[in-house]
Amino acid sequence: MISEKDLTQSQNLPYEERITRIEKMIESEEEPKAFELGLLLALKMGQEIREKKPLGSTTGDIVATWSSKYPESVVEEAIAHAKQFLTNPGALAEKMKNIMLKKMSKQDDETKTDEDQSGK
């Protein structure tokens, strides 16, 4: 799974390297998350815009390939994430931050519970 650290590090890379890095991360996973696919799709769409290509000229093929590999719900969610990345990245960053904080809090709670149980 792509972490906040991965996203921060990728911001310092040239655009094409960001895409390659995310592609490699996704390829290494058996079942990538919709968020990860959405991130890649947003980067690819951004590349189309930078190169002044019609939107969907390359990303349409990517989504078509995903449709044969992943469940429809995952592909639809990935598209929604990509749109949010492009139209309102700040809101998505805040959402990611909240998810990460919840996960860390849950892990802390589990660790405390384990320590309490082993200390009794």
Side-chain angles (χ1 to χ4, degrees), residues 12-112:
N12 298 323
L13 297 172
Y15 201 81
E16 288 73 23
E17 285 184 45
R18 291 182 209 175
I19 293 172
T20 301
R21 188 165 188 238
I22 301 298
E23 285 174 330
K24 286 180 182 177
M25 292 173 116
I26 289 172
E27 288 172 6
S28 69
E29 294 183 21
E30 191 172 307
E31 293 182 26
K33 308 282 185 271
F35 174 80
E36 296 164 339
L37 295 173
L39 176 58
L40 177 60
L41 183 58
L43 288 170
K44 290 288 203 172
M45 291 169 79
Q47 188 176 42
E48 288 173 334
I49 292 167
R50 284 177 172 214
E51 295 173 358
K52 296 180 175 45
K53 292 181 178 177
L55 203 53
S57 60
T58 57
T59 54
D61 291 339
I62 293 169
V63 172
T65 300
W66 290 349
S67 295
S68 65
K69 290 172 107 175
Y70 309 116
E72 184 178 340
S73 61
V74 171
V75 175
E76 292 298 321
E77 190 176 343
I79 292 168
H81 284 302
K83 286 179 184 177
Q84 192 168 16
F85 269 119
L86 291 173
T87 59
N88 195 355
L92 189 57
E94 188 63 30
K95 180 180 174 181
M96 286 173 43
K97 179 181 173 184
N98 291 334
I99 290 169
M100 296 294 281
L101 289 173
K102 284 179 186 177
K103 284 183 180 181
M104 290 184 339
S105 176
K106 184 179 178 181
Q107 288 173 348
D108 288 345
D109 290 345
E110 289 172 357
T111 301
K112 288 177 186 176

